[in-house]
Amino acid sequence: MKIKFVGDVSVVHDGLKILATELGFVIDDINGFPIHVQQRKGSIYISKNQYSGQICFEKPIHFFRALGLWLEQYQLKQEFELVEEAQFDSSGAMLDASRNAVMRVSEMKAMLRKMAVMGLNVLMIYTEDTYEVEEYPYFGYMRGRYTEDELKACDQYAATLGIEMIPCIQTLAHLTEALKWNYAGEMKDTADILLVGEAKTYAFIEAMITAASKPFQSNRIHIGMDEAHQLGLGKYLERNGYEQRFAIMTKHLQAVVAMTEKLGLKPMLWSDMYFRLGSKTGGYYDLEAEIPDDVVASIPDVQLVYWDYYHTDQAFYQTFIKRHQVLKPNSVFAGGVWTWNGIAPNYGKAIQTTEAALTACKKEGVKEVFATMWGDNGAETPMTTALPMLQLFAEHTYHQVVHAKTWQARFACCVGANYNDFMVLHQFDETPGVSENNLHASNPSKFLLWQDILLGLYDENIKGLSLGKHYEQMIPQLTQAKERNPTFFSLFAFYEQLARVLSTKAELGIHIKQAYDTVHKENMQMYLEQIKVLQEELIELRDTHRDLWFSMNKPFGWEIIEIRYGGVITRLDTVQYRIKKWLADEIVVIEELAEDRLYFDGPYQMPAGSLGRNLYHRIVSASPL
């Protein structure tokens, strides 16, 4: 389509050029269909009649959303008029670049384009040690850290699209990878927490803050400080004796905020440590937590970020938002898209928690929200799977109530993909035996992929559920999704092959154990042939996953995923070796198969509707890794 923009488009001109290809239009000032553009305060307004169109907007991000809406409506109607009202001042996402997957600049730009059309105007990059700090060459060494120039390029691109990029770092805990080198020996309290009160600690933090903020135009910075559970209980305790952790936290925060003020930065931090320290049980979401008045009074000029992607009860969010507003009136809310469930996204839980949380935010007048895109335990789940949930955040940003049909249609327009095809991915973990929406965050696709079929640690959990058949039924759905979504061909090819592998591997250990227990050597020989085929299918899965990873992320971190694939593929050599020995009567016992299978009960509680949830090192063996 050819479009002629009439009016002053100088504030969005460069962004228009970027999005023309994305949205499939050409700017033609002579023969284009005229759209009259007006920047003014108030709501987004779009319209079209037989002769011309109109777009009214306040912020550049509103224009880009309005343009996407206009083009969407143009495909459906001859004439239209539509108004949208922004519910939040800022709404966006936080991309985790610290769990091994460091997204390539080209992919980050692709995500920024989609966010702009959605109308999301903030992108935080969570970097624990994946950015350069010149004074500390081991900081982020071999971790795919971003250069200053890379971050500058992303920031400039985002600004052109009306999006603010904000650095998101850590200045207290969550620094295991940064502190593992000898340079950090004198500034560690524990393995992942900085030593409060040490001069070298504050020189280090100042260097981090300076380096992290330098590439960005924004004067805002997220300084982290969450989950410092052992604060003051390591080297600090040895040096100073026991001290109230509220006091340690306050002293440290004030020192860090003084640094940000010196650099002209406005900091925000995760709020959980205040609530955990005020809870008798150490829980973050403890409604009985008491934060002393003197501690509240000592909180410096910062924004608190309330992170919560666990509750489905709107009333709980409203209560906790009110508690935050008592501490700091301008608190920010951070929800989650559940890209960290395992190897596939947990859309059910993401939708339920997001609906409750963002409705509560609107009720309580929260002005800033963002969606976290964590990549826990190796970032096995590709970050592009977050896009449907980012779309949901976007629709909540411009509507009091979000209707499913609107959300799904907008996804097709903004992302250029089929919403229902993405939802198939949820079936990897919402399997038979798992409750609706997988609210307990079971991750069978992960534990069934990595578990050893001779040890069968999770076999008792899945017995009788026909999970092989479940995954087999997913294969044609994913084959069709791959063909329907050419932009995401590699993504669906990976998941198609994962379903193929799991259709065989999910229950193979159970079958092998049964054949062994009944001394049914004919069946065991048949399973031996299946193992050979499975090994080839796993190599194919590794290859499709590798193609996807390298297209999206820097190479660093892939070695961890490849080691996992190498482990399961190589172990199948030993499985065949052991079974062949038994079939040939060279051994009379396969000790691994002779062991009784117990229900895998840990480390999390296992309520009804959960098959289990775990990390790689506890899935692959009962022995320490």
Side-chain angles (χ1 to χ4, degrees):
M1 179 188 183
K2 296 179 180 180
I3 299 176
K4 175 183 179 180
F5 293 98
V6 182
D8 184 4
V9 293
S10 57
V11 295
V12 295
H13 180 266
D14 292 343
L16 268 174
K17 291 198 295 186
I18 289 173
L19 292 179
T21 302
E22 188 89 1
L23 293 174
F25 68 87
V26 175
I27 301 173
D28 186 336
D29 291 337
I30 298 173
N31 300 313
F33 184 85
I35 298 179
H36 297 270
V37 177
Q38 181 187 7
Q39 183 176 18
R40 48 92 180 114
K41 285 192 175 295
S43 2
I44 290 172
Y45 173 82
I46 65 169
S47 67
K48 177 190 174 292
N49 58 35
Q50 184 179 352
Y51 306 104
S52 66
Q54 187 174 7
I55 292 177
C56 297
F57 69 101
E58 180 174 345
K59 300 177 181 178
I61 193 65
H62 298 156
F63 173 83
F64 296 123
R65 177 171 172 92
L67 177 60
L69 282 167
W70 196 96
L71 290 167
E72 180 185 357
Q73 294 299 309
Y74 177 82
Q75 299 296 323
L76 302 172
K77 301 171 185 175
Q78 290 293 318
E79 296 190 357
F80 56 82
E81 186 177 41
L82 190 148
V83 177
E84 285 191 339
E85 190 76 43
Q87 307 294 306
F88 305 113
D89 291 342
S90 72
S91 178
M94 188 223 70
L95 173 66
D96 185 354
S98 297
R99 301 303 198 286
N100 296 355
V102 178
M103 186 176 282
R104 291 186 183 277
V105 169
S106 58
E107 281 298 300
M108 198 181 302
K109 287 181 176 180
M111 181 167 284
L112 285 164
R113 291 194 297 272
K114 291 174 175 58
M115 287 177 61
V117 182
M118 291 177 185
L120 298 172
N121 66 342
V122 169
L123 179 62
M124 297 183 184
I125 305 298
Y126 179 76
T127 49
E128 292 173 359
D129 68 328
T130 47
Y131 58 101
E132 285 183 327
V133 180
E134 186 178 353
E135 300 92 328
Y136 299 89
Y138 281 95
F139 186 84
Y141 173 62
M142 288 293 181
R143 293 260 290 136
R145 59 192 171 194
Y146 287 113
T147 66
E148 181 182 336
D149 286 344
E150 285 176 322
L151 291 173
K152 270 186 179 177
C154 292
D155 179 67
Q156 183 57 55
Y157 197 83
T160 303
L161 294 169
I163 298 171
E164 177 187 17
M165 285 191 69
I166 300 172
C168 185
I169 66 173
Q170 289 289 359
T171 56
L172 180 58
H174 272 294
L175 287 168
T176 303
E177 299 309 314
L179 302 180
K180 66 188 176 188
W181 305 103
N182 287 337
Y183 79 87
E186 295 181 38
M187 50 189 180
K188 284 194 292 189
D189 185 359
T190 65
D192 72 322
I193 299 176
L194 287 166
L195 180 58
V196 173
E198 167 61 45
K200 289 184 178 179
T201 296
Y202 295 101
F204 177 59
I205 292 172
E206 186 163 8
M208 286 196 296
I209 292 173
T210 301
S213 61
K214 189 177 179 182
F216 299 100
Q217 297 171 56
S218 175
N219 67 345
R220 305 171 78 193
I221 186 169
H222 196 317
I223 57 175
M225 295 202 184
D226 60 312
E227 297 184 324
H229 303 303
Q230 300 301 310
L231 176 64
L233 301 179
K235 191 180 291 185
Y236 188 93
L237 182 65
E238 295 173 7
R239 284 190 179 184
N240 304 289
Y242 180 76
E243 189 175 333
Q244 286 289 336
R245 288 189 293 161
F246 266 133
I248 302 172
M249 180 79 180
T250 298
K251 175 169 57 178
H252 183 69
L253 177 58
Q254 290 175 341
V256 174
V257 169
M259 293 179 197
T260 62
E261 289 175 346
K262 185 172 73 171
L263 293 168
L265 301 171
K266 295 182 178 180
M268 64 181 79
L269 73 152
W270 307 112
S271 66
D272 59 294
M273 285 305 294
Y274 285 105
F275 289 90
R276 290 180 196 275
L277 294 174
S279 167
K280 292 179 181 178
T281 62
Y284 180 25
Y285 304 111
D286 180 1
L287 294 174
E288 304 301 318
E290 296 182 3
I291 303 173
D293 290 342
D294 61 323
V295 172
V296 176
S298 70
I299 300 174
D301 185 17
V302 296
Q303 279 188 294
L304 296 182
V305 182
Y306 162 35
W307 58 270
D308 190 347
Y309 18 79
Y310 298 109
H311 297 92
T312 57
D313 178 9
Q314 179 186 324
F316 182 90
Y317 287 104
Q318 289 189 239
T319 298
F320 234 65
I321 288 167
K322 288 173 182 174
R323 296 207 64 183
H324 278 77
Q325 301 292 28
V326 169
L327 296 181
K328 282 291 176 182
N330 61 342
S331 292
V332 181
F333 176 77
V337 299
W338 279 90
T339 45
W340 60 92
N341 204 59
I343 203 161
N346 185 348
Y347 291 139
K349 184 156 188 168
I351 293 169
Q352 291 288 302
T353 55
T354 298
E355 288 285 354
L358 295 189
T359 302
C361 285
K362 284 178 269 194
K363 292 276 188 184
E364 297 302 324
V366 174
K367 295 301 181 185
E368 296 188 87
V369 301
F370 65 90
T372 58
M373 300 161 59
W374 298 114
D376 297 21
N377 201 222
E380 293 168 341
T381 301
M383 284 298 175
T384 45
T385 61
L387 289 169
M389 296 305 105
L390 295 188
Q391 190 75 61
L392 181 57
F393 258 74
E395 298 320 300
H396 270 287
T397 301
Y398 295 94
H399 298 281
Q400 276 288 338
V401 177
V402 176
H403 299 290
K405 285 186 178 179
T406 304
W407 168 28
Q408 295 166 24
R410 294 255 64 226
F411 180 74
C413 173
C414 298
V415 178
N418 185 291
Y419 168 86
N420 290 326
D421 287 337
F422 270 79
M423 290 301 108
V424 173
L425 304 181
H426 182 66
Q427 297 176 35
F428 276 101
D429 290 329
E430 191 176 316
T431 64
V434 172
S435 58
E436 185 179 6
N437 293 317
N438 194 13
L439 298 180
H440 301 302
S442 280
N443 59 7
S445 63
K446 177 171 178 134
F447 66 66
L448 292 173
L449 174 62
W450 301 131
Q451 83 159 350
D452 189 287
I453 64 173
L454 271 188
L455 301 176
L457 292 178
Y458 278 91
D459 283 353
E460 196 64 22
N461 296 49
I462 67 160
K463 197 178 253 185
L465 295 176
S466 299
L467 293 194
K469 184 178 179 182
H470 171 81
Y471 290 117
E472 184 179 8
Q473 291 171 342
M474 291 180 64
I475 298 171
Q477 297 179 69
L478 292 162
T479 303
Q480 293 165 21
K482 182 177 66 174
E483 302 304 328
R484 273 195 295 260
N485 300 273
T487 304
F488 298 96
F489 184 93
S490 295
L491 178 75
F492 286 109
F494 162 61
Y495 280 114
E496 175 192 30
Q497 186 61 20
L498 177 60
R500 188 171 287 112
V501 164
L502 293 178
S503 69
T504 300
K505 189 174 186 289
E507 297 172 294
L508 188 53
I510 294 173
H511 300 323
I512 290 171
K513 167 72 169 165
Q514 186 177 37
Y516 177 81
D517 288 345
T518 59
V519 197
H520 202 311
K521 294 198 171 185
E522 185 178 338
N523 279 0
M524 189 68 92
Q525 184 64 50
M526 178 182 67
Y527 298 139
L528 191 61
E529 296 304 314
Q530 287 184 15
I531 292 168
K532 292 177 185 177
V533 174
L534 175 61
Q535 204 166 23
E536 293 302 315
E537 295 290 1
L538 278 160
I539 292 170
E540 178 65 21
L541 177 62
R542 187 275 313 271
D543 291 349
T544 59
H545 198 169
R546 182 172 60 192
D547 288 344
L548 182 61
W549 180 287
F550 278 80
S551 71
M552 293 178 59
N553 306 314
K554 295 186 179 188
F556 304 94
W558 168 253
E559 69 276 9
I560 298 301
I561 305 295
E562 190 149 60
I563 287 167
R564 294 177 186 180
Y565 280 115
V568 71
I569 290 166
T570 302
R571 273 294 290 168
L572 289 180
D573 283 338
T574 297
V575 173
Q576 293 173 72
Y577 167 80
R578 299 281 282 154
I579 290 174
K580 286 176 181 177
K581 290 276 190 182
W582 182 74
L583 288 173
D585 294 324
E586 294 179 29
I587 59 174
V588 295
V589 176
I590 302 177
E591 287 90 342
E592 302 95 319
L593 294 179
E595 287 274 350
D596 289 337
R597 298 306 192 237
L598 300 179
Y599 188 79
F600 198 113
D601 188 20
Y604 308 101
Q605 294 298 313
M606 297 283 285
S610 173
L611 298 180
R613 168 177 162 233
N614 225 321
L615 305 179
Y616 172 79
H617 71 288
R618 288 302 181 202
I619 291 168
V620 73
S621 175
S623 300
L625 189 63

